[in-house]
Amino acid sequence: MATRVLHRVSSGLRDTRHGLHATGQAMVVARSLSASREDSWFKSLFVRKVDPRKDAHSHLLAKKEDSNLYKIQFHSVKPECLDAYNELNAGILHSIHEDPEYPCELVGTWNTWYGEQDQAVHLWRYRGGYPALTEVMNKLRLNKTFMDYRHERGKMLLSRRNQLLLEFSFWNEPVPRPGPNIYELRSYQLRPGTMIEWGNYWARAIEIRQQNHEAVGGFFSQIGSLYTVHHLWAYKDLQSRDETRNAAWQRDGWDKVVYYTVPLIQHMDSRIMIPMKDSPLK
């Protein structure tokens, strides 16, 4: 009898251990599935689903009625050379702008007031696109005055960079305006694949921001730093800028534009700029 009792106890202990082991496995599996679902849900917050496109965003967002190409130049000038740099640029840039032999126009030329200091920004328009750009570059290489200017300018610079841009179809083309004005260049580095979304939101937003005539031009990069957007604004002074920007928040829809476009931005920058002497945008 003692043997039967010990057998039952031994069997019961085995069953209990088996049951605990099975329960433990079930709990581990349940926790694993739960953790997997939570991990999947968490990752979904940060993974963007981008619809496949069958056309380049440049074809979808740029103006169709013209073939304008823009070049923006950023020159970091040695602080002690800034005045000499401005004087050197005044004559040569205006002469190229006025010469009908060059299919290009100087849209605006500025010194940065707030933002990156001792910097010059030049914006050119090439009517005729890439062929016009190539024609201008080839002619300038044969222009001794320009080559001498470029050599002298090089002594004054710490660095320089440029981008080739197209203009958004829903922005007005930049045109000369009377001054005096200050200009703000707001530059946005977007997340790759989000340019179409940006364009869709700003096509509506620009209607809100054009009511005070502060909108000058909107561009997106083609060569240089990609997925970069530049918005150019004009104001009478810093106080006018502050009042104009605050007033936008009182208009229906502006808050939604900001809410939906902020997640598209990786980095943004603002420059307050003062026009140089011969700038068409005063």
Side-chain angles (χ1 to χ4, degrees):
M1 181 173 179
T3 302
R4 287 198 300 271
V5 170
L6 289 173
H7 179 71
R8 290 195 194 100
V9 171
S10 177
S11 297
L13 289 174
R14 284 199 303 270
D15 292 343
T16 300
R17 285 196 300 269
H18 178 73
L20 288 173
H21 181 65
T23 302
Q25 284 184 326
M27 291 176 66
V28 170
V29 171
R31 283 197 298 268
S32 177
L33 290 173
S34 177
S36 176
R37 286 195 297 268
E38 289 179 1
D39 184 58
S40 177
W41 173 82
F42 184 75
K43 287 181 178 178
S44 71
L45 295 177
F46 300 96
V47 176
R48 296 192 58 83
K49 295 181 180 179
V50 180
D51 294 333
R53 301 289 177 183
K54 296 184 179 180
D55 204 352
H57 65 245
S58 59
H59 294 163
L60 298 173
L61 295 173
K63 293 182 178 179
K64 303 294 191 300
E65 63 272 17
D66 55 44
S67 55
N68 290 342
L69 179 70
Y70 290 80
K71 178 172 71 175
I72 190 166
Q73 300 172 297
F74 299 94
H75 291 172
S76 294
V77 185
K78 297 176 182 178
E80 67 274 14
C81 297
L82 188 60
D83 290 339
Y85 171 90
N86 288 343
E87 291 180 11
L88 182 68
N89 276 270
I92 190 68
L93 299 188
H94 186 70
S95 67
I96 296 172
H97 171 76
E98 292 289 333
D99 193 335
E101 291 296 315
Y102 295 95
C104 64
E105 304 163 8
L106 182 64
V107 177
T109 178
W110 303 269
N111 287 130
T112 300
W113 184 22
Y114 288 101
E116 190 169 343
Q117 296 293 282
D118 304 310
Q119 186 184 69
V121 180
H122 311 295
L123 181 62
W124 293 88
R125 175 168 49 227
Y126 299 85
R127 296 196 184 276
Y130 292 106
L133 172 68
T134 301
E135 180 182 347
V136 171
M137 291 174 59
N138 290 336
K139 287 182 176 179
L140 288 178
R141 290 193 186 99
L142 302 176
N143 185 328
K144 185 178 184 305
T145 301
F146 177 80
M147 296 307 292
D148 290 343
Y149 148 80
R150 185 173 180 176
H151 176 74
E152 193 65 26
R153 184 191 67 185
K155 303 175 185 178
M156 304 178 183
L157 298 183
L158 294 170
S159 66
R160 60 192 181 97
R161 63 185 178 90
N162 57 28
Q163 290 176 308
L164 294 181
L165 314 169
L166 296 177
E167 57 185 332
F168 284 110
S169 60
F170 45 84
W171 280 73
N172 292 329
E173 180 179 290
V175 295
R177 64 171 62 198
N181 296 292
I182 64 170
Y183 289 81
E184 181 174 16
L185 182 66
R186 296 180 71 89
S187 302
Y188 305 87
Q189 186 65 48
L190 303 186
R191 299 183 184 280
T194 62
M195 187 67 74
I196 299 296
E197 291 179 77
W198 180 274
N200 287 338
Y201 288 123
W202 268 95
R204 297 187 292 270
I206 195 62
E207 297 179 6
I208 300 172
R209 292 298 304 275
Q210 282 181 332
Q211 295 183 20
N212 288 335
H213 306 291
E214 75 266 28
V216 178
F219 315 91
F220 59 98
S221 62
Q222 285 293 282
I223 296 179
S225 180
L226 299 179
Y227 286 98
T228 301
V229 171
H230 298 290
H231 291 174
L232 184 61
W233 310 91
Y235 306 98
K236 289 300 179 184
D237 49 40
L238 288 175
Q239 181 62 35
S240 172
R241 171 189 176 274
D242 185 60
E243 294 171 354
T244 300
R245 290 182 58 80
N246 287 336
W249 289 95
Q250 309 305 316
R251 300 189 183 113
D252 184 50
W254 179 248
D255 57 337
K256 293 183 176 62
V257 170
V258 175
Y259 178 83
Y260 287 112
T261 55
V262 164
L264 310 182
I265 301 170
Q266 287 184 318
H267 176 75
M268 59 188 296
D269 190 38
S270 171
R271 293 174 177 82
I272 301 297
M273 308 184 302
I274 303 297
M276 291 189 192
K277 179 180 177 182
D278 288 331
S279 177
L281 289 171
K282 303 297 186 183

